[in-house]
Amino acid sequence: MDEGKVVVAHSERATLRVGDVFLKVDADQARIDVEVEAMSLAPVPTPKVLWRKPPVLAIAAVPGTALGRLGEPSTVSPAAWTAAGAAIRKLHEAPLPPWPGRRRRGPDELAAELDGECELLVTNGILPADLVTRNRQVAEAALRPWTPAFTHGDLQIAHVFVDGDEVTGIIDWSEAGQGDALYDLATFTLGHEEHLDDVIAGYGTDIDLDVIHAWWSLRSLLAVRWLVEHGFDPSAPGCEVDVLRSRM
């Protein structure tokens, strides 16, 4: 009998692996609905849905290995990063899904959330004031209107699988929807700035690097407190706090 392994677990959701099957447990039915629908629409390799019985979604493992993880060096080839960039471009050029992204917020709303979070980070002593202030300045470039694209919404490198130089699967689509294409690219390269050129080569179009840097700062500022409160360590080498320090 295959043993179960907890992949990730926190107060919002949990994912377990049993053999070649992943069981996603999520009390938010809307999030599961988005994941299933997004995988059916995305023009890139996605996991096969095996069955659904709320609050559980069972999906098959995708072949290959994850491109990497935040805080760890990626061991795949530059060509694999380039292939991932091409797959992301294919997703962004696909017809828009008929729902807004769960992270879809206008610049003013996002700025208000960011300012509130920055204040909490300083007053609660989670991050130094100068680090927060500098990255809030950098993040300003992301607070602009954008043309909606079909976005993954949580495109961490651990969610992209490759076999050699071929993308074999992109997983975890619960945040997918209409969003900013550069947010996806920034999430994908967060903590792996050395591979940004490879990704852009595959993406095949001009990218505003100031906006990518801004999203790195913005995403990290918004994530740090949540990560701490849910038992993760954003201060681990190469993770969110180091990303913020790199902008100093």
Side-chain angles (χ1 to χ4, degrees), residues 42-130:
V44 295
T46 61
K48 179 182 179 181
V49 175
L50 300 176
W51 51 264
R52 295 177 65 186
K53 187 175 181 180
V56 181
L57 169 67
I59 60 175
V62 297
T65 58
L67 201 61
R69 292 189 179 280
L70 184 63
E72 301 176 7
S74 173
T75 59
V76 304
S77 68
W81 283 86
T82 299
I88 296 168
R89 175 71 180 275
K90 188 175 182 180
L91 173 67
H92 291 166
E93 290 184 334
L96 291 175
W99 66 88
R102 294 174 62 90
R103 300 179 186 272
R104 174 70 167 161
R105 288 160 289 186
D108 292 341
E109 182 182 359
L110 191 56
E113 179 184 357
L114 180 60
D115 288 339
E117 192 63 30
C118 287
E119 183 177 355
L120 288 172
L121 289 170
V122 175
T123 58
N124 292 343
I126 299 173
L127 291 176
D130 61 340

Side-chain angles (χ1 to χ4, degrees), residues 39 42-47 62 87 90 159 161 166-171 173:
M39 288 191 294
V44 295
T46 61
V62 297
K90 188 175 182 180
H159 293 162
F161 284 69
E166 179 184 357
V167 174
T168 55
I170 299 177
I171 66 171
W173 291 82

Side-chain angles (χ1 to χ4, degrees), residues 100-105 110 146 153-154 175 178 183 219:
R102 294 174 62 90
R103 300 179 186 272
R104 174 70 167 161
R105 288 160 289 186
L110 191 56
W146 58 79
D154 190 21
E175 305 292 339
Q178 299 178 25
Y183 176 79
R219 179 184 169 95

